Amino acid sequence: MSTTTTPTHVWRPSSSRRLVLDGFAPVPRGTLPAMPLQLSWPTKDPSDVLDYEFDIAAALIGNEGDSIAAVNVLVTPNGTGDLTLNSVAADGSLVVLWFAAGHAGTVYIVQITATTTIGRTVGRAMLLPVQTLASAVVPASALTTDQGAIITDQNGNPILLGS
């Protein structure tokens, strides 16, 4: 006997878009801590709807029972067609944000403030650049057919006039 069932999928956020809280490492006496680098997620296409993560585990070291209780997110700029925050979730020390839309050529600032169950508050600003990635920009010197189709070589690269 054969039975077909729809499997239940376990969703896990993609670690390829995870930023980890920095600046909590101890430094030797008599030295100054280095300024942490600006946190920046990989570039997003305006048509992408993807999960992005922020891990605050470094702020919770020594208090293994502490976890995120509330998250506040502010995205700037925030006009019509700009980056849209679809949802926010928390899992232990991980904030998971789903973003959509955005204007190509804009670098968005995502300000996240996470409050933990025992009262810690961690705030950071991250950058999320948006660029058109889904379609290639074809040079104006590309050879085309009478119908406007681009002529390519055996590797799919456009053949350029004058080359």
Side-chain angles (χ1 to χ4, degrees):
M1 173 178 224
S2 176
T3 308
T4 302
T5 59
T6 303
T8 301
H9 296 278
V10 176
W11 174 80
R12 290 184 184 93
S14 172
S15 62
S16 66
R17 292 176 298 279
R18 177 178 294 166
L19 294 178
V20 178
L21 181 67
D22 55 0
F24 278 88
V27 295
R29 247 184 248 196
T31 62
L32 294 174
M35 283 297 294
L37 297 174
Q38 177 67 53
L39 297 170
S40 183
W41 281 300
T43 302
K44 164 194 182 321
D45 185 89
S47 64
D48 292 344
V49 178
L50 295 171
D51 52 320
Y52 292 80
E53 302 176 8
F54 178 49
D55 188 350
I56 68 163
L60 308 182
I61 292 174
N63 290 281
E64 305 310 320
D66 200 5
S67 63
I68 296 170
V71 178
N72 183 43
V73 181
L74 175 65
V75 178
T76 54
N78 62 354
T80 304
D82 277 318
L83 188 68
T84 303
L85 177 64
N86 284 357
S87 68
V88 179
D91 181 17
S93 66
L94 195 63
V95 177
V96 182
L97 309 113
W98 282 84
F99 289 112
H103 292 290
T106 303
V107 177
Y108 291 90
I109 300 170
V110 179
Q111 176 69 42
I112 299 175
T113 305
T115 304
T116 69
T117 55
I118 65 170
R120 288 184 174 92
T121 301
V122 177
R124 291 293 185 277
M126 274 72 69
L127 303 178
L128 181 51
V130 176
Q131 290 293 332
T132 302
L133 303 171
S135 60
V137 177
V138 179
S141 61
L143 187 60
T144 59
T145 66
D146 291 339
Q147 293 77 28
I150 298 164
I151 299 173
T152 61
D153 64 15
Q154 68 275 13
N155 297 319
N157 299 314
I159 298 174
L160 304 178
L161 297 172
S163 54

